[in-house]
Amino acid sequence: AFDRFKMDLVYRPRRLRRTAPIRGLVRETELSPRQLIYPLFVTEGKSVRDHIDSMPGQFRLSTDELVRECEELYALGVGAVNLFGYSEEKDELATKSYDSDGLVQRAIRTIKSAVPDLCVQTDVALDPYTTHGHDGLVIDGEIVNDESVEVLCKMALSHAEAGADWIAPSDMMDGRIGAIRNALDVQGFSQVGILAYSAKYASSFYGPFRGALQSAPKSGNKKTYQMDPANIREALKEIALDLEEGADVVMIKPALCYLDVISRVREAFDAPVAAYNVSGEYAMVVAAAEKGWVDRDSAMMEMLLSIRRAGADMILTYFAKDAAALLRADYGSFR
Ligand code: PBG
């Protein structure tokens, strides 16, 4: 009888996993379309849907196609789009990056007139517009900082003038958040937000993206401005600096190898935290799924949920549209 009594006292965690509705009641983390941001690639032309081989299922879109895409995303409840320009007009000084009639600037205007409420964010960095493929200007073989920040400010202003809701600087130059905030405020764009790529690591997982934009650096690497994957204290320093300089949202990038960084940042700061589920992370799942080695949908959901569990409020992901569609179909409520 005593043994029987002891057995009854054993706590049985499996009780809370017994049925899907019970699992639903005790689920700690939620994923919603409104937390997802879809990166989109803009290209010149009309009716262009140019498939990106290194990122199966993703396309470079001309503005008309982009608008169609944005209408669908808005209807699905996706939180925002984040625009990247596929520029074939590259030069040493990235002059096309701040052209008021440039590719991204026109795309912003077109989207904003068709889907005014959709949050439109824009990438700010020079690499798609430079012949050398670096995020800043190169002078005598060196990626210079302050001269680059001046160009980044012009680029950010041109996006704000076109109607961007948020500017997202991904260049990792020092002091650019403060400089861009100031430039925006002086020109009357105090309502435009800044999503700062604050802890952006020099990662091998950007490979498919660089293929999509033909933006890989022609020489050298990005290690003098992007962070060493070994460091987490430095990430906290970068986040603190960007917040002091006026960032509205701070980002950690990539997401999956850096879940510990996301979690530490979430604990240490009150600001909204974003994470970028980058092209290499996307491509790995898609490639493994094509081989039949993982299930695409459940791997996608597990990744996104894990990034949320680590502490990210919002996630930039190439899965945004597919995940939103699945969530709308009530995936996850009875899993
Ligand atoms: C460039 C930029 C990169 C990404 C976003 N902005 C590539 C890089 O830093 O070389 C990567 C996004 C991805 O891999 O999905 N400033």
Side-chain angles (χ1 to χ4, degrees), residues 84 123 125 127 135 170 197 200 205-206 209-210 222 226 253 276 278-280 318:
F84 293 89
D123 191 74
D127 50 321
D135 293 34
S170 70
Y197 286 64
K200 176 172 178 179
F205 293 101
Y206 307 149
F209 171 99
R210 292 178 188 169
K222 299 192 175 185
Q226 299 181 350
K253 174 186 179 184
Y276 200 141
V278 299
S279 59
Y318 303 98

Side-chain angles (χ1 to χ4, degrees), residues 47-51 59-62 65 68-69 321:
S47 309
V48 181
R49 285 185 76 83
D50 200 3
H51 188 252
F59 299 84
R60 286 178 289 254
L61 302 172
S62 53
E65 291 289 326
R68 287 234 306 261
E69 191 74 29
K321 192 178 178 187

Side-chain angles (χ1 to χ4, degrees), residues 29-332:
T29 309
E30 214 66 61
L31 183 64
S32 155
R34 71 178 168 80
Q35 298 154 338
L36 304 176
I37 300 167
Y38 195 29
L40 285 169
F41 301 98
V42 195
T43 190
E44 295 287 359
K46 231 179 147 38
S47 309
V48 181
R49 285 185 76 83
D50 200 3
H51 188 252
I52 301 169
D53 294 337
S54 54
M55 301 171 68
Q58 305 301 315
F59 299 84
R60 286 178 289 254
L61 302 172
S62 53
T63 20
D64 50 332
E65 291 289 326
L66 197 66
V67 165
R68 287 234 306 261
E69 191 74 29
C70 286
E71 284 165 346
E72 282 178 44
L73 292 163
Y74 186 66
L76 282 168
V78 169
V81 294
N82 197 302
L83 304 182
F84 293 89
Y86 174 66
S87 180
E88 285 170 303
E89 296 175 278
K90 302 176 196 271
D91 60 30
E92 284 281 302
L93 302 175
T95 47
K96 282 291 168 189
S97 66
Y98 53 87
D99 181 350
S100 60
D101 200 32
L103 185 56
V104 169
Q105 291 82 353
R106 275 180 279 127
I108 301 166
R109 286 193 195 94
T110 317
I111 297 172
K112 273 292 166 188
S113 60
V115 204
D117 271 357
L118 180 69
C119 177
V120 175
Q121 313 174 353
T122 56
D123 191 74
V124 166
L126 306 186
D127 50 321
Y129 304 94
T130 53
T131 38
H132 47 72
H134 279 290
D135 293 34
L137 301 178
V138 179
I139 299 179
D140 295 334
E142 199 190 318
I143 297 117
V144 293
N145 196 88
D146 299 8
E147 294 85 345
S148 302
V149 171
E150 279 180 39
V151 184
L152 294 165
C153 285
K154 288 200 236 174
M155 185 177 183
L157 267 180
S158 72
H159 292 175
E161 275 159 9
D165 292 283
W166 287 7
I167 306 298
S170 70
D171 55 284
M172 288 297 278
M173 297 298 128
D174 293 337
R176 92 282 202 209
I177 299 301
I180 290 173
R181 183 68 273 162
N182 187 56
L184 291 173
D185 289 353
V186 166
Q187 296 297 321
F189 297 108
S190 54
Q191 82 285 3
V192 173
I194 299 181
L195 165 63
Y197 286 64
S198 303
K200 176 172 178 179
Y201 288 89
S203 171
S204 44
F205 293 101
Y206 307 149
F209 171 99
R210 292 178 188 169
L213 290 188
Q214 292 179 3
S215 62
K218 294 286 178 300
S219 68
N221 55 50
K222 299 192 175 185
K223 291 181 184 179
T224 66
Y225 45 110
Q226 299 181 350
M227 284 179 53
D228 182 342
N231 295 354
I232 186 165
R233 291 192 297 266
E234 190 186 357
L236 299 176
K237 179 74 191 167
E238 282 280 9
I239 302 265
L241 280 171
D242 282 0
L243 288 172
E244 273 169 36
E245 291 178 32
D248 297 286
V249 182
V250 289
M251 180 146 73
I252 292 107
K253 174 186 179 184
L256 294 174
C257 289
Y258 303 89
L259 293 178
D260 57 329
V261 182
I262 296 173
S263 147
R264 281 280 289 281
V265 168
R266 171 71 294 152
E267 276 174 27
F269 299 93
D270 288 330
V273 174
Y276 200 141
N277 179 214
V278 299
S279 59
E281 299 171 332
Y282 170 83
M284 284 193 299
V285 173
V286 173
E290 277 175 4
K291 289 204 172 263
W293 293 344
V294 298
D295 178 70
R296 190 184 197 273
D297 286 351
S298 55
M300 160 178 91
M301 286 305 193
E302 187 176 334
M303 277 184 169
L304 297 176
L305 194 68
S306 299
I307 299 167
R308 287 271 303 130
R309 192 197 61 240
D313 297 297
M314 61 196 93
I315 307 171
L316 282 89
T317 177
Y318 303 98
F319 286 124
K321 192 178 178 187
D322 292 348
L326 264 187
L327 289 165
R328 298 271 298 200
D330 227 17
Y331 179 94

